[in-house]
Amino acid sequence: MELAPLLLLLFAFTLAIFLGFELISKVPSQLHTPLMSGSNAISGITIVGALLALNTNESALAQWIGFAAVVFATINVVGGYLVTDRMLAMFKKKDGGKGGPKA
Amino acid sequence: MTAVLINLLYIAASILFIFGIKKLGSADTARKGNQLSSLGMLLAVVATLLYSGLSWWMVAAGILVGAAIGAVAAARVRMTGMPELVALFNGFGGIASLLVGCAEFVKIRDAGLAEYLVALQQQSGVVVPGWFALLAIGLTILVGGVTFTGSLVAWGKLSGKLAGAAVGFAGQQFINLLVFGAALAGTGLMVAGNGESGVALYAGIGLMVLALVFGVLMTIPIGGGDMPVVISLLNSFSGVAAAMAGFIILNNVLVVAGCLVGASGMILTVIMCKAMNRTLGNVLFSGFGSTGHSGKAVDGEMKPATVEDAYFVLEAAQSVVFIPGYGMAVAQAQHAVKELAELLEEHGAEVRFAIHPVAGRMPGHMNVLLAEADVPYEQLQEMDQVNPVMPTVDVAIVIGANDVINPAAEEDEGCPIYGMPIIRAYEAKTVYCLKRGKGAGFSGLENPLFYRENTRMLYGDAKATISALVAEFGK
């Protein structure tokens, strides 16, 4: 029974797959790029794993590899969210212009 | 106590990711959704920092450096450079996961497997067999490595640093299979050696190298027009890599978030494949355009037109459809196109933009460019909306698109893109095709549309041609 927590993790994994499919299945093609770059930013969640490698008890080698991982993951996260926001801001701008007076 | 708090925060972060993705699916809420998901990320990072024993200066330096690079790149990129930047970020996510796998492998080599598992249990509260930890490490390195080099090749192709066309060589698929099989064998050896033996070390290193090689091999045979599929597939992989990393350190938020990305990327991939009426296997392994089949030769000739001719037809048109393709992105013609569309509207024409799902080099590529140029959202129409009204359209203006309007997809069974749904530009009363030169398009296919009775060719740079048309209206 020691394996129960591990099985829970596998359970979460399986459910998340179905959840992902349900969430995305009806996205208009207009939003495909932002969706992709937005979800790309989420994949930078691996930063959590990278941070945990920076434990001072670990060898210098493990820490430096972890450090590189943190840098790359942060670029992915910060860059990904900002670039998605920039794109979506453009989509937004037009919605505002629609209601306003048209020159 | 801290462990409970950390995990509660992880749950909150997962919920924010889920809502974020959900809201990304609709135009009105998309921006909010992205902000919610970034908040989730912040929460996950803050929660992780609650673990004791982290090297603070490394954490701070790593995040500062990464954030600075990411922010500058995101702020500087032009909308036309978006596909390659997304590919690059995606690659960075992949290598980050690969490095996480490596760091954990190093920990096992330092402390021995038994002690590593004890430390892991203290941190995560989960007991795992040694083989499971090693298998997760192997898979993380494998998927992360493929994502990294695959994305780099995609980045190179999209930014023009590598030749965009499909690269093929004899026995390619056999070699791919061999490399992939060897990488799996490497994973097996790593597990068998408990990660501690000398063999396990070499197996681990070999696995990493093979994964990196495989990423290149997988991506180089895929040509320009199939890029949207590859990009979304690699996006999916980066999520899977993160989920695998989550299985190493037994972390819920990594598993859930990574899995969400993996699933959503997979859906986009399938949508892109469907839009081309091809299976994923066909896209990945057929080396599109490398078959040498370029469609039937077409009788007749292409009829060039001048900008003045086009102006007179456009001035009288009641209804105009623009069909943009990758050529519009290359020429950066979107602003000029928007200007022309406005002038046409002033002259009483109804203007639409017909967007094919795989036009351009990434999913939704044309939409981003036209949004940048401020084209009203309502004017952008999907293929299924436009096709029924196509026969009533006076003028269809094709801007650097080729395959997505190629009637051979409907008529010529021997044609490589036979069966792919197209925008039926040929049904419009007059079709103007903007094209750089007379040669075949990116895919190397002959396009019978160019030879049709109702088609006129406008050769030259798309932006220059459109600007010349705009100038004609100004006269």
Side-chain angles (χ1 to χ4, degrees):
Chain A
M1 269 302 104
E2 269 196 325
L3 290 179
L6 177 60
L7 290 177
L8 271 180
L9 204 60
L10 287 168
F11 188 60
F13 176 76
T14 316
L15 286 185
I17 295 178
F18 282 95
L19 187 60
F21 277 110
E22 282 302 315
L23 284 176
I24 313 295
S25 54
K26 285 199 180 62
V27 174
S29 58
Q30 271 92 349
L31 290 170
H32 281 168
T33 300
L35 175 70
M36 208 178 61
S37 86
S39 63
N40 177 225
I42 297 180
S43 72
I45 186 69
T46 197
I47 190 177
V48 168
L51 287 171
L52 288 176
L54 298 183
N55 198 305
T56 43
N57 292 332
E58 305 299 341
S59 68
L61 180 59
Q63 285 191 48
W64 279 110
I65 295 176
F67 179 77
V70 170
V71 172
F72 280 117
T74 312
I75 297 176
N76 186 197
V77 168
V78 174
Y81 280 123
L82 287 179
V83 103
T84 310
D85 193 63
R86 251 186 82 189
M87 260 188 270
L88 290 170
M90 293 180 333
F91 285 118
K92 207 82 202 161
K93 196 168 56 185
K94 268 182 329 298
D95 286 349
K98 192 169 55 183
K102 227 176 171 181
Chain B
M1 202 48 224
T2 324
V4 174
L5 177 63
I6 290 172
N7 276 291
L8 284 176
L9 287 173
Y10 281 160
I11 292 176
S14 304
I15 292 172
L16 287 170
F17 287 141
I18 291 168
F19 272 108
I21 293 188
K22 168 115 189 110
K23 284 180 186 288
L24 264 178
S26 138
D28 298 333
T29 55
R31 199 170 182 194
K32 190 84 183 289
N34 190 50
Q35 286 160 356
L36 278 183
S37 111
S38 64
L39 192 65
M41 187 63 72
L42 186 66
L43 214 54
V45 169
V46 169
T48 309
L49 296 181
L50 294 179
Y51 280 111
S52 55
L54 298 187
S55 158
W56 285 103
W57 76 266
M58 274 187 145
V59 169
I63 289 182
L64 277 179
V65 171
I69 297 174
V72 169
R76 280 206 176 160
V77 66
R78 306 175 64 163
M79 283 303 141
T80 38
M82 201 56 90
E84 52 261 38
L85 188 70
V86 172
L88 197 60
F89 283 159
N90 200 49
F92 287 170
I95 195 178
S97 292
L98 177 140
L99 291 170
V100 169
C102 290
E104 297 300 312
F105 189 49
V106 169
K107 286 188 197 173
I108 291 182
R109 309 266 329 157
D110 288 342
L113 185 59
E115 206 169 310
Y116 171 80
L117 291 175
V118 171
L120 194 61
Q121 190 197 347
Q122 279 167 359
Q123 188 186 66
S124 65
V126 181
V127 183
V128 286
W131 63 263
F132 184 89
L134 284 161
L135 183 64
I137 289 174
L139 290 178
T140 304
I141 293 177
L142 180 59
V143 184
V146 172
T147 308
F148 177 54
T149 48
S151 300
L152 282 190
V153 171
W155 168 74
K157 286 192 173 201
L158 289 166
S159 60
K161 291 184 173 62
L162 292 174
V167 176
F169 50 85
Q172 196 165 21
Q173 291 180 39
F174 178 71
I175 291 176
N176 284 1
L177 204 65
L178 209 64
V179 170
F180 188 70
L184 285 183
T187 312
L189 281 175
M190 222 170 90
V191 176
N194 271 344
E196 294 168 349
S197 69
V199 176
L201 176 63
Y202 293 119
I205 295 172
L207 160 66
M208 184 170 80
V209 173
L210 288 169
L212 295 172
V213 171
F214 186 71
V216 176
L217 288 177
M218 194 188 87
T219 325
I220 46 165
I222 299 174
D226 289 343
M227 272 342 245
V229 178
V230 182
I231 297 271
S232 33
L233 187 67
L234 288 169
N235 185 34
S236 176
F237 281 2
S238 73
V240 174
M244 289 301 141
F247 276 115
I248 311 177
I249 58 169
L250 304 164
N251 184 303
N252 268 309
V253 75
L254 244 78
V255 169
V256 170
C259 211
L260 285 174
V261 177
S264 76
M266 210 56 204
I267 288 193
L268 266 185
T269 311
V270 171
I271 292 175
M272 294 300 119
C273 285
K274 272 194 185 145
M276 297 195 297
N277 192 37
R278 295 167 67 196
T279 62
L280 182 56
N282 183 270
V283 173
L284 289 182
F285 303 120
S286 78
F288 187 76
S290 58
T291 54
H293 185 105
S294 57
K296 275 184 199 157
V298 188
D299 296 331
E301 53 180 339
M302 302 195 227
K303 293 167 281 296
T306 64
V307 170
E308 288 81 34
D309 299 338
Y311 164 67
F312 287 120
V313 176
L314 278 174
E315 201 202 8
Q318 292 299 305
S319 132
V320 177
V321 170
F322 288 95
I323 306 168
Y326 186 54
M328 184 181 82
V330 174
Q332 307 209 11
Q334 65 271 27
H335 294 282
V337 170
K338 152 80 176 163
E339 225 180 311
L340 180 60
E342 273 183 347
L343 285 168
L344 288 168
E345 279 193 305
E346 278 170 32
H347 278 71
E350 186 191 0
V351 176
R352 294 190 191 88
F353 288 81
I355 317 260
H356 193 282
V358 292
R361 291 291 177 270
M362 70 175 166
H365 192 177
M366 295 298 120
N367 297 95
V368 175
L369 292 179
L370 293 172
E372 187 205 7
D374 253 340
V375 171
Y377 196 71
E378 318 83 73
Q379 287 186 357
L380 307 182
Q381 299 201 334
E382 295 183 21
M383 176 169 59
D384 301 336
Q385 289 172 288
V386 165
N387 273 342
V389 296
M390 217 57 191
T392 67
V393 169
D394 293 322
V395 183
I397 304 178
V398 177
I399 309 167
N402 195 343
D403 290 346
V404 299
I405 41 115
N406 190 342
E410 295 184 333
E411 297 156 359
D412 176 8
E413 282 189 40
C415 161
I417 60 167
Y418 180 71
M420 166 171 155
I422 58 161
I423 294 174
R424 298 201 184 97
Y426 63 86
E427 287 185 342
K429 293 187 185 97
T430 309
V431 184
Y432 282 103
C433 294
L434 274 62
K435 209 166 169 306
R436 257 181 307 190
K438 290 186 185 177
F442 206 93
S443 60
L445 289 179
E446 279 293 351
N447 192 336
L449 175 71
F450 299 154
Y451 300 88
R452 296 259 169 151
E453 209 42 54
N454 58 342
T455 304
R456 297 289 178 277
M457 308 300 294
L458 291 169
Y459 292 117
D461 175 68
K463 190 175 173 184
T465 309
I466 298 278
S467 299
L469 276 169
V470 170
E472 284 290 328
F473 272 95
K475 277 181 191 166

PDB file of all heavy atoms in Angstrom, chain B residues 374-401:
ATOM      1  N   ASP B 374      -4.868  45.632 -37.434  1.00  0.00           N
ATOM      2  CA  ASP B 374      -6.147  46.213 -37.042  1.00  0.00           C
ATOM      3  C   ASP B 374      -7.309  45.869 -37.952  1.00  0.00           C
ATOM      4  O   ASP B 374      -8.269  46.635 -38.053  1.00  0.00           O
ATOM      5  CB  ASP B 374      -6.038  47.740 -36.999  1.00  0.00           C
ATOM      6  CG  ASP B 374      -6.021  48.207 -35.563  1.00  0.00           C
ATOM      7  OD1 ASP B 374      -6.458  47.418 -34.722  1.00  0.00           O
ATOM      8  OD2 ASP B 374      -5.567  49.324 -35.303  1.00  0.00           O
ATOM      9  N   VAL B 375      -7.230  44.777 -38.633  1.00  0.00           N
ATOM     10  CA  VAL B 375      -8.364  44.344 -39.454  1.00  0.00           C
ATOM     11  C   VAL B 375      -9.486  43.905 -38.512  1.00  0.00           C
ATOM     12  O   VAL B 375      -9.236  43.146 -37.580  1.00  0.00           O
ATOM     13  CB  VAL B 375      -7.965  43.168 -40.371  1.00  0.00           C
ATOM     14  CG1 VAL B 375      -9.180  42.577 -41.058  1.00  0.00           C
ATOM     15  CG2 VAL B 375      -6.947  43.627 -41.385  1.00  0.00           C
ATOM     16  N   PRO B 376     -10.711  44.426 -38.724  1.00  0.00           N
ATOM     17  CA  PRO B 376     -11.803  44.076 -37.800  1.00  0.00           C
ATOM     18  C   PRO B 376     -12.028  42.572 -37.734  1.00  0.00           C
ATOM     19  O   PRO B 376     -11.995  41.883 -38.748  1.00  0.00           O
ATOM     20  CB  PRO B 376     -13.023  44.774 -38.405  1.00  0.00           C
ATOM     21  CG  PRO B 376     -12.478  45.810 -39.311  1.00  0.00           C
ATOM     22  CD  PRO B 376     -11.145  45.335 -39.778  1.00  0.00           C
ATOM     23  N   TYR B 377     -12.233  42.125 -36.515  1.00  0.00           N
ATOM     24  CA  TYR B 377     -12.417  40.718 -36.210  1.00  0.00           C
ATOM     25  C   TYR B 377     -13.500  40.081 -37.078  1.00  0.00           C
ATOM     26  O   TYR B 377     -13.370  38.962 -37.555  1.00  0.00           O
ATOM     27  CB  TYR B 377     -12.820  40.647 -34.739  1.00  0.00           C
ATOM     28  CG  TYR B 377     -12.710  39.310 -34.090  1.00  0.00           C
ATOM     29  CD1 TYR B 377     -11.454  38.774 -33.825  1.00  0.00           C
ATOM     30  CD2 TYR B 377     -13.845  38.606 -33.716  1.00  0.00           C
ATOM     31  CE1 TYR B 377     -11.354  37.552 -33.202  1.00  0.00           C
ATOM     32  CE2 TYR B 377     -13.740  37.390 -33.092  1.00  0.00           C
ATOM     33  CZ  TYR B 377     -12.492  36.860 -32.836  1.00  0.00           C
ATOM     34  OH  TYR B 377     -12.397  35.644 -32.222  1.00  0.00           O
ATOM     35  N   GLU B 378     -14.610  40.837 -37.321  1.00  0.00           N
ATOM     36  CA  GLU B 378     -15.755  40.243 -38.038  1.00  0.00           C
ATOM     37  C   GLU B 378     -15.419  39.960 -39.495  1.00  0.00           C
ATOM     38  O   GLU B 378     -16.082  39.163 -40.146  1.00  0.00           O
ATOM     39  CB  GLU B 378     -16.993  41.152 -38.028  1.00  0.00           C
ATOM     40  CG  GLU B 378     -17.311  41.852 -36.724  1.00  0.00           C
ATOM     41  CD  GLU B 378     -16.508  43.118 -36.568  1.00  0.00           C
ATOM     42  OE1 GLU B 378     -16.804  44.095 -37.250  1.00  0.00           O
ATOM     43  OE2 GLU B 378     -15.563  43.115 -35.760  1.00  0.00           O
ATOM     44  N   GLN B 379     -14.412  40.635 -40.020  1.00  0.00           N
ATOM     45  CA  GLN B 379     -14.085  40.412 -41.428  1.00  0.00           C
ATOM     46  C   GLN B 379     -13.291  39.122 -41.643  1.00  0.00           C
ATOM     47  O   GLN B 379     -13.173  38.639 -42.758  1.00  0.00           O
ATOM     48  CB  GLN B 379     -13.275  41.600 -41.972  1.00  0.00           C
ATOM     49  CG  GLN B 379     -14.115  42.845 -42.164  1.00  0.00           C
ATOM     50  CD  GLN B 379     -13.335  43.962 -42.826  1.00  0.00           C
ATOM     51  OE1 GLN B 379     -12.156  43.838 -43.091  1.00  0.00           O
ATOM     52  NE2 GLN B 379     -14.019  45.061 -43.077  1.00  0.00           N
ATOM     53  N   LEU B 380     -12.738  38.595 -40.569  1.00  0.00           N
ATOM     54  CA  LEU B 380     -11.954  37.358 -40.690  1.00  0.00           C
ATOM     55  C   LEU B 380     -12.903  36.170 -40.682  1.00  0.00           C
ATOM     56  O   LEU B 380     -13.650  35.968 -39.739  1.00  0.00           O
ATOM     57  CB  LEU B 380     -10.980  37.228 -39.516  1.00  0.00           C
ATOM     58  CG  LEU B 380     -10.068  38.415 -39.262  1.00  0.00           C
ATOM     59  CD1 LEU B 380      -9.139  38.109 -38.094  1.00  0.00           C
ATOM     60  CD2 LEU B 380      -9.265  38.762 -40.487  1.00  0.00           C
ATOM     61  N   GLN B 381     -12.897  35.409 -41.745  1.00  0.00           N
ATOM     62  CA  GLN B 381     -13.815  34.287 -41.811  1.00  0.00           C
ATOM     63  C   GLN B 381     -13.072  32.985 -42.069  1.00  0.00           C
ATOM     64  O   GLN B 381     -12.052  32.964 -42.750  1.00  0.00           O
ATOM     65  CB  GLN B 381     -14.834  34.529 -42.911  1.00  0.00           C
ATOM     66  CG  GLN B 381     -15.639  35.789 -42.629  1.00  0.00           C
ATOM     67  CD  GLN B 381     -16.950  35.811 -43.370  1.00  0.00           C
ATOM     68  OE1 GLN B 381     -17.096  35.199 -44.410  1.00  0.00           O
ATOM     69  NE2 GLN B 381     -17.908  36.533 -42.817  1.00  0.00           N
ATOM     70  N   GLU B 382     -13.627  31.909 -41.502  1.00  0.00           N
ATOM     71  CA  GLU B 382     -13.004  30.619 -41.698  1.00  0.00           C
ATOM     72  C   GLU B 382     -13.449  30.024 -43.032  1.00  0.00           C
ATOM     73  O   GLU B 382     -14.441  30.452 -43.609  1.00  0.00           O
ATOM     74  CB  GLU B 382     -13.360  29.702 -40.526  1.00  0.00           C
ATOM     75  CG  GLU B 382     -12.772  30.237 -39.224  1.00  0.00           C
ATOM     76  CD  GLU B 382     -13.026  29.338 -38.032  1.00  0.00           C
ATOM     77  OE1 GLU B 382     -13.287  28.135 -38.253  1.00  0.00           O
ATOM     78  OE2 GLU B 382     -12.952  29.829 -36.901  1.00  0.00           O
ATOM     79  N   MET B 383     -12.706  29.058 -43.462  1.00  0.00           N
ATOM     80  CA  MET B 383     -12.943  28.413 -44.750  1.00  0.00           C
ATOM     81  C   MET B 383     -14.413  27.998 -44.954  1.00  0.00           C
ATOM     82  O   MET B 383     -15.001  28.255 -45.996  1.00  0.00           O
ATOM     83  CB  MET B 383     -12.027  27.206 -44.824  1.00  0.00           C
ATOM     84  CG  MET B 383     -12.173  26.334 -46.037  1.00  0.00           C
ATOM     85  SD  MET B 383     -10.804  25.177 -46.104  1.00  0.00           S
ATOM     86  CE  MET B 383     -10.976  24.310 -44.545  1.00  0.00           C
ATOM     87  N   ASP B 384     -14.996  27.369 -43.924  1.00  0.00           N
ATOM     88  CA  ASP B 384     -16.361  26.849 -44.066  1.00  0.00           C
ATOM     89  C   ASP B 384     -17.401  27.954 -44.207  1.00  0.00           C
ATOM     90  O   ASP B 384     -18.476  27.742 -44.743  1.00  0.00           O
ATOM     91  CB  ASP B 384     -16.720  25.976 -42.856  1.00  0.00           C
ATOM     92  CG  ASP B 384     -15.763  24.814 -42.728  1.00  0.00           C
ATOM     93  OD1 ASP B 384     -15.174  24.437 -43.765  1.00  0.00           O
ATOM     94  OD2 ASP B 384     -15.592  24.301 -41.609  1.00  0.00           O
ATOM     95  N   GLN B 385     -17.076  29.137 -43.685  1.00  0.00           N
ATOM     96  CA  GLN B 385     -18.006  30.260 -43.811  1.00  0.00           C
ATOM     97  C   GLN B 385     -17.940  30.863 -45.212  1.00  0.00           C
ATOM     98  O   GLN B 385     -18.929  31.319 -45.757  1.00  0.00           O
ATOM     99  CB  GLN B 385     -17.647  31.361 -42.816  1.00  0.00           C
ATOM    100  CG  GLN B 385     -17.938  31.051 -41.369  1.00  0.00           C
ATOM    101  CD  GLN B 385     -17.360  32.150 -40.495  1.00  0.00           C
ATOM    102  OE1 GLN B 385     -16.157  32.254 -40.328  1.00  0.00           O
ATOM    103  NE2 GLN B 385     -18.230  32.995 -39.963  1.00  0.00           N
ATOM    104  N   VAL B 386     -16.732  30.905 -45.761  1.00  0.00           N
ATOM    105  CA  VAL B 386     -16.513  31.624 -47.003  1.00  0.00           C
ATOM    106  C   VAL B 386     -16.891  30.789 -48.224  1.00  0.00           C
ATOM    107  O   VAL B 386     -17.494  31.293 -49.170  1.00  0.00           O
ATOM    108  CB  VAL B 386     -15.042  32.069 -47.096  1.00  0.00           C
ATOM    109  CG1 VAL B 386     -14.696  32.493 -48.501  1.00  0.00           C
ATOM    110  CG2 VAL B 386     -14.789  33.210 -46.136  1.00  0.00           C
ATOM    111  N   ASN B 387     -16.560  29.522 -48.198  1.00  0.00           N
ATOM    112  CA  ASN B 387     -16.770  28.708 -49.395  1.00  0.00           C
ATOM    113  C   ASN B 387     -18.190  28.760 -49.977  1.00  0.00           C
ATOM    114  O   ASN B 387     -18.343  28.887 -51.185  1.00  0.00           O
ATOM    115  CB  ASN B 387     -16.337  27.263 -49.143  1.00  0.00           C
ATOM    116  CG  ASN B 387     -14.860  27.073 -49.418  1.00  0.00           C
ATOM    117  OD1 ASN B 387     -14.241  27.894 -50.095  1.00  0.00           O
ATOM    118  ND2 ASN B 387     -14.281  26.017 -48.881  1.00  0.00           N
ATOM    119  N   PRO B 388     -19.236  28.717 -49.145  1.00  0.00           N
ATOM    120  CA  PRO B 388     -20.581  28.742 -49.723  1.00  0.00           C
ATOM    121  C   PRO B 388     -20.894  30.031 -50.492  1.00  0.00           C
ATOM    122  O   PRO B 388     -21.682  30.014 -51.430  1.00  0.00           O
ATOM    123  CB  PRO B 388     -21.497  28.617 -48.493  1.00  0.00           C
ATOM    124  CG  PRO B 388     -20.652  28.021 -47.441  1.00  0.00           C
ATOM    125  CD  PRO B 388     -19.262  28.491 -47.698  1.00  0.00           C
ATOM    126  N   VAL B 389     -20.283  31.161 -50.087  1.00  0.00           N
ATOM    127  CA  VAL B 389     -20.596  32.419 -50.756  1.00  0.00           C
ATOM    128  C   VAL B 389     -19.603  32.748 -51.868  1.00  0.00           C
ATOM    129  O   VAL B 389     -19.739  33.755 -52.551  1.00  0.00           O
ATOM    130  CB  VAL B 389     -20.655  33.594 -49.751  1.00  0.00           C
ATOM    131  CG1 VAL B 389     -21.782  33.389 -48.771  1.00  0.00           C
ATOM    132  CG2 VAL B 389     -19.333  33.775 -49.048  1.00  0.00           C
ATOM    133  N   MET B 390     -18.619  31.898 -52.038  1.00  0.00           N
ATOM    134  CA  MET B 390     -17.561  32.188 -53.003  1.00  0.00           C
ATOM    135  C   MET B 390     -18.085  32.488 -54.424  1.00  0.00           C
ATOM    136  O   MET B 390     -17.596  33.409 -55.074  1.00  0.00           O
ATOM    137  CB  MET B 390     -16.576  31.015 -53.046  1.00  0.00           C
ATOM    138  CG  MET B 390     -15.147  31.420 -53.225  1.00  0.00           C
ATOM    139  SD  MET B 390     -14.589  32.543 -51.934  1.00  0.00           S
ATOM    140  CE  MET B 390     -13.066  33.084 -52.578  1.00  0.00           C
ATOM    141  N   PRO B 391     -19.089  31.752 -54.924  1.00  0.00           N
ATOM    142  CA  PRO B 391     -19.564  32.039 -56.285  1.00  0.00           C
ATOM    143  C   PRO B 391     -20.148  33.445 -56.435  1.00  0.00           C
ATOM    144  O   PRO B 391     -20.236  33.962 -57.549  1.00  0.00           O
ATOM    145  CB  PRO B 391     -20.659  30.979 -56.507  1.00  0.00           C
ATOM    146  CG  PRO B 391     -20.337  29.889 -55.545  1.00  0.00           C
ATOM    147  CD  PRO B 391     -19.743  30.564 -54.354  1.00  0.00           C
ATOM    148  N   THR B 392     -20.550  34.078 -55.341  1.00  0.00           N
ATOM    149  CA  THR B 392     -21.126  35.415 -55.436  1.00  0.00           C
ATOM    150  C   THR B 392     -20.064  36.505 -55.306  1.00  0.00           C
ATOM    151  O   THR B 392     -20.376  37.690 -55.366  1.00  0.00           O
ATOM    152  CB  THR B 392     -22.168  35.643 -54.318  1.00  0.00           C
ATOM    153  OG1 THR B 392     -21.478  35.667 -53.066  1.00  0.00           O
ATOM    154  CG2 THR B 392     -23.204  34.535 -54.300  1.00  0.00           C
ATOM    155  N   VAL B 393     -18.823  36.086 -55.086  1.00  0.00           N
ATOM    156  CA  VAL B 393     -17.750  37.063 -54.867  1.00  0.00           C
ATOM    157  C   VAL B 393     -17.232  37.593 -56.204  1.00  0.00           C
ATOM    158  O   VAL B 393     -16.998  36.825 -57.135  1.00  0.00           O
ATOM    159  CB  VAL B 393     -16.603  36.408 -54.069  1.00  0.00           C
ATOM    160  CG1 VAL B 393     -15.368  37.295 -54.062  1.00  0.00           C
ATOM    161  CG2 VAL B 393     -17.056  36.107 -52.656  1.00  0.00           C
ATOM    162  N   ASP B 394     -17.081  38.915 -56.290  1.00  0.00           N
ATOM    163  CA  ASP B 394     -16.599  39.504 -57.532  1.00  0.00           C
ATOM    164  C   ASP B 394     -15.103  39.275 -57.717  1.00  0.00           C
ATOM    165  O   ASP B 394     -14.652  38.860 -58.773  1.00  0.00           O
ATOM    166  CB  ASP B 394     -16.895  41.008 -57.549  1.00  0.00           C
ATOM    167  CG  ASP B 394     -18.397  41.262 -57.624  1.00  0.00           C
ATOM    168  OD1 ASP B 394     -19.071  40.496 -58.334  1.00  0.00           O
ATOM    169  OD2 ASP B 394     -18.878  42.208 -56.981  1.00  0.00           O
ATOM    170  N   VAL B 395     -14.354  39.612 -56.694  1.00  0.00           N
ATOM    171  CA  VAL B 395     -12.908  39.488 -56.823  1.00  0.00           C
ATOM    172  C   VAL B 395     -12.319  38.761 -55.617  1.00  0.00           C
ATOM    173  O   VAL B 395     -12.620  39.106 -54.469  1.00  0.00           O
ATOM    174  CB  VAL B 395     -12.227  40.877 -56.913  1.00  0.00           C
ATOM    175  CG1 VAL B 395     -10.726  40.717 -57.126  1.00  0.00           C
ATOM    176  CG2 VAL B 395     -12.828  41.698 -58.034  1.00  0.00           C
ATOM    177  N   ALA B 396     -11.512  37.754 -55.883  1.00  0.00           N
ATOM    178  CA  ALA B 396     -10.740  37.110 -54.826  1.00  0.00           C
ATOM    179  C   ALA B 396      -9.289  37.524 -55.023  1.00  0.00           C
ATOM    180  O   ALA B 396      -8.761  37.412 -56.128  1.00  0.00           O
ATOM    181  CB  ALA B 396     -10.878  35.599 -54.894  1.00  0.00           C
ATOM    182  N   ILE B 397      -8.671  38.048 -53.957  1.00  0.00           N
ATOM    183  CA  ILE B 397      -7.268  38.449 -54.054  1.00  0.00           C
ATOM    184  C   ILE B 397      -6.430  37.481 -53.226  1.00  0.00           C
ATOM    185  O   ILE B 397      -6.546  37.436 -51.997  1.00  0.00           O
ATOM    186  CB  ILE B 397      -7.058  39.884 -53.542  1.00  0.00           C
ATOM    187  CG1 ILE B 397      -7.981  40.844 -54.311  1.00  0.00           C
ATOM    188  CG2 ILE B 397      -5.605  40.295 -53.691  1.00  0.00           C
ATOM    189  CD1 ILE B 397      -7.875  42.275 -53.836  1.00  0.00           C
ATOM    190  N   VAL B 398      -5.635  36.691 -53.906  1.00  0.00           N
ATOM    191  CA  VAL B 398      -4.801  35.702 -53.227  1.00  0.00           C
ATOM    192  C   VAL B 398      -3.435  36.324 -52.969  1.00  0.00           C
ATOM    193  O   VAL B 398      -2.746  36.733 -53.906  1.00  0.00           O
ATOM    194  CB  VAL B 398      -4.648  34.440 -54.091  1.00  0.00           C
ATOM    195  CG1 VAL B 398      -3.721  33.447 -53.413  1.00  0.00           C
ATOM    196  CG2 VAL B 398      -6.005  33.809 -54.368  1.00  0.00           C
ATOM    197  N   ILE B 399      -3.064  36.437 -51.691  1.00  0.00           N
ATOM    198  CA  ILE B 399      -1.801  37.091 -51.360  1.00  0.00           C
ATOM    199  C   ILE B 399      -0.808  36.068 -50.846  1.00  0.00           C
ATOM    200  O   ILE B 399      -0.827  35.688 -49.673  1.00  0.00           O
ATOM    201  CB  ILE B 399      -2.004  38.189 -50.301  1.00  0.00           C
ATOM    202  CG1 ILE B 399      -3.126  39.121 -50.747  1.00  0.00           C
ATOM    203  CG2 ILE B 399      -0.719  38.962 -50.072  1.00  0.00           C
ATOM    204  CD1 ILE B 399      -3.613  40.031 -49.657  1.00  0.00           C
ATOM    205  N   GLY B 400       0.027  35.601 -51.709  1.00  0.00           N
ATOM    206  CA  GLY B 400       1.086  34.682 -51.289  1.00  0.00           C
ATOM    207  C   GLY B 400       0.588  33.379 -50.699  1.00  0.00           C
ATOM    208  O   GLY B 400       1.252  32.780 -49.863  1.00  0.00           O
ATOM    209  N   ALA B 401      -0.606  32.953 -51.105  1.00  0.00           N
ATOM    210  CA  ALA B 401      -1.082  31.635 -50.689  1.00  0.00           C
ATOM    211  C   ALA B 401      -1.002  30.722 -51.898  1.00  0.00           C
ATOM    212  O   ALA B 401      -1.062  31.172 -53.026  1.00  0.00           O
ATOM    213  CB  ALA B 401      -2.515  31.711 -50.174  1.00  0.00           C
TER     214      ALA B 401
END
